[in-house]
Amino acid sequence: MKLVINRDLLIKAVNLVVKAADKRHRLAILANIKIELSPEFLVLTGSDIELELTVRLPISPDVCIEAGSTTLPAEMFFGICKSLSDEMVTIEAPQGSLRCQISSGQGKYTLSALPADDFPDVGAGVPTTIVKIAQSDLVDLIHRTRFAMATQDVRHYLTGVLFELGGEQLTAVATDGHRLAMAYRPLNETYEPTQMIIPGKAISELERLLLELSKSSNDEQVVELGFNGEYLQVALTLTSEEQVGVAAGMEVGLTARLIEGKFPDYRRVIPTENDKKVYFDRDAMADVLRRISILNSKEVPGVLLNFSSADTLKIGVDDKRSKSQAEELLAVSYQGGPIELSFNESYLRAVLGVLEGKVCIEMSQPGSPTLIYQDGDEFYRHVIMPMRV
């Protein structure tokens, strides 16, 4: 295998797949990126068996000197590509060799390689359900929910985001047992009720690819999500500025194994009978939390919200271990009787980070779930469990 390719283009392609590689996997080859070269296409693949990312780049005939394939250490290969200073890069891996030479300008680098034939295929099969959704809507669904996923939990079904189809609606839900984020978007087609739990790593990579897609085109695109009960499959086309040797845009594919298990009934968690409401400016609240969080610690992560006035909220931190205290007043519009709640400050700030403008918190009792949402926006709902005061 031998090719000569534009350095910036190569970096962009490798960057799209490198995060799927897993150097800690028991299969050593999964720490590598698979490179397949033909006269028409350069194909790069990264995988950890659960997640596979693929870039298929149409190339002009002069890019391919000798067709072939190999696999190279992902992080090392990416690091070399980024460090090269010359415009063009030559990659050469003789047939049957376990060595690959990368050269650019006066620099030459040699990496160990593993046979491409040994690189495993996830074997996703054919999707049985295709969901069509606007690119910006899908980005919003992910952005407004994924922060609430559990990162490490024996309840593995909480380490992903639930995608629920029903009628003409797609709902995304994430929870770690202490907080819950839910968002939905209307669809143009009707679907049978179906639930899929997409792993956290796949969700993060899908969001990253969608953001890359938005950079490559100013036009709103429709994204197709393919499901077959075991896998999610997504195909995107990223256009780019004219580059040497490029025949068209990059075709990027994501395949992810879905999480098995039953997601909790999130509807039972969302409170519906709250008798107290407070409205406040999102930016003003975020600024207060940012300042008083200086006194927070892992042992004392809570922030105390005292509702005793119709127009003023008292926000405080009291760390008895360090004998540190903070208190600020925030202008609000409050409806209801006096109540004092304690929240994990980082949870509260995370919710505010995906909201804008005027925000509402609905509550009932100090130990009951609270509902948080953007005033006038029906698409997003967040729930946080208060801490014990």
Side-chain angles (χ1 to χ4, degrees):
M1 181 193 80
K2 185 176 181 180
L3 71 151
V4 179
I5 190 169
N6 177 273
R7 181 189 71 98
D8 292 340
L9 179 63
L10 179 62
I11 289 172
K12 182 174 182 179
V14 175
N15 181 54
L16 291 170
V17 303
V18 68
K19 291 187 178 180
D22 184 1
K23 65 180 180 180
R24 295 182 298 273
H25 201 282
R26 60 182 180 82
L27 295 177
I29 198 170
L30 291 179
N32 288 14
I33 289 175
K34 181 167 73 169
I35 304 173
E36 300 170 282
L37 178 67
S38 70
E40 297 83 19
F41 297 100
L42 173 65
V43 181
L44 305 179
T45 304
S47 172
D48 64 3
I49 294 295
E50 302 296 318
L51 170 68
E52 181 181 274
L53 297 175
T54 301
V55 168
R56 187 171 181 260
L57 178 64
I59 55 176
S60 55
D62 57 325
V63 171
C64 177
I65 309 302
E66 181 182 353
S69 60
T70 189
T71 75
L72 297 176
E75 290 185 6
M76 202 172 293
F77 177 49
F78 190 37
I80 291 172
C81 293
K82 290 189 293 183
S83 68
L84 298 175
S85 58
D86 203 69
E87 182 182 355
M88 303 304 291
V89 180
T90 300
I91 303 174
E92 185 172 6
Q95 184 68 28
S97 173
L98 296 182
R99 310 288 283 176
C100 178
Q101 187 175 88
I102 303 165
S103 56
S104 179
Q106 300 301 310
K108 290 185 179 180
Y109 302 81
T110 301
L111 294 178
S112 61
L114 292 173
D117 290 344
D118 295 342
F119 199 86
D121 185 348
V122 298
V126 179
T128 55
T129 301
I130 303 293
V131 179
K132 296 180 180 180
I133 183 171
Q135 163 198 334
S136 58
D137 285 348
L138 183 54
V139 170
D140 270 355
L141 285 179
I142 295 173
H143 174 66
R144 305 260 189 164
T145 56
R146 77 178 182 91
F147 69 89
M149 291 186 302
T151 52
Q152 292 181 336
D153 201 301
V154 293
R155 299 166 295 180
H156 59 283
Y157 48 82
L158 297 185
T159 61
V161 174
L162 172 72
F163 272 29
E164 182 180 63
L165 284 170
E168 297 181 351
Q169 181 172 303
L170 175 62
T171 303
V173 185
T175 180
D176 61 5
H178 302 286
R179 53 184 172 169
L180 180 144
M182 181 191 74
Y184 79 90
R185 276 291 185 268
L187 303 172
N188 293 326
E189 298 181 35
T190 302
Y191 296 88
E192 293 296 321
T194 310
Q195 289 191 342
M196 299 78 63
I197 307 175
I198 304 173
K201 183 177 179 181
I203 281 290
S204 297
E205 287 304 298
L206 178 56
E207 181 181 35
R208 185 170 71 95
L209 293 180
L210 291 169
L211 292 175
E212 288 291 336
L213 176 62
S214 65
K215 293 177 186 176
S216 72
S217 174
N218 293 325
D219 297 329
E220 179 73 66
Q221 296 193 31
V222 175
V223 178
E224 293 187 355
L225 306 175
F227 299 95
N228 65 3
E230 290 187 63
Y231 289 93
L232 161 70
Q233 298 178 59
V234 185
L236 305 172
T237 300
L238 274 61
T239 58
S240 60
E241 297 179 0
E242 187 175 341
Q243 301 261 17
V244 177
V246 182
M250 296 181 182
E251 297 176 13
V252 184
L254 178 148
T255 301
R257 187 188 298 273
L258 301 175
I259 295 176
E260 295 182 4
K262 185 172 178 56
F263 202 84
D265 185 357
Y266 62 90
R267 292 179 180 83
R268 296 178 59 185
V269 178
I270 300 174
T272 57
E273 298 182 357
N274 293 317
D275 58 351
K276 302 174 180 66
K277 289 184 180 182
V278 62
Y279 294 89
F280 55 85
D281 179 74
R282 176 261 175 203
D283 291 340
M285 172 68 90
D287 284 343
V288 171
L289 294 176
R290 177 179 51 80
R291 288 192 293 270
I292 68 172
S293 67
I294 297 170
L295 273 64
N296 276 128
S297 63
K298 290 184 178 180
E299 293 76 22
V300 185
V303 56
L304 200 63
L305 274 58
N306 187 299
F307 299 92
S308 56
S309 167
D311 54 14
T312 304
L313 169 62
K314 211 179 275 188
I315 307 172
V317 171
D318 186 1
D319 187 348
K320 293 182 171 57
R321 294 190 179 188
S322 64
K323 298 181 180 178
S324 301
Q325 293 180 326
E327 183 178 284
E328 290 209 25
L329 300 179
L330 179 70
V332 299
S333 175
Y334 177 62
Q335 306 163 13
I339 188 174
E340 190 172 66
L341 301 176
S342 180
F343 290 101
N344 183 306
E345 181 268 336
S346 65
Y347 290 176
L348 190 53
R349 272 214 287 176
V351 172
L352 295 179
V354 298
L355 301 179
E356 298 175 353
K358 191 176 182 181
V359 173
C360 178
I361 299 181
E362 295 185 6
M363 43 208 149
S364 57
Q365 301 297 324
S368 300
T370 57
L371 184 65
I372 306 177
Y373 55 90
Q374 193 170 301
D375 187 34
D377 193 331
E378 63 175 310
F379 293 117
Y380 310 108
R381 290 293 182 269
H382 300 87
V383 177
I384 300 181
M385 284 297 300
M387 300 173 64
R388 291 186 179 180
V389 179

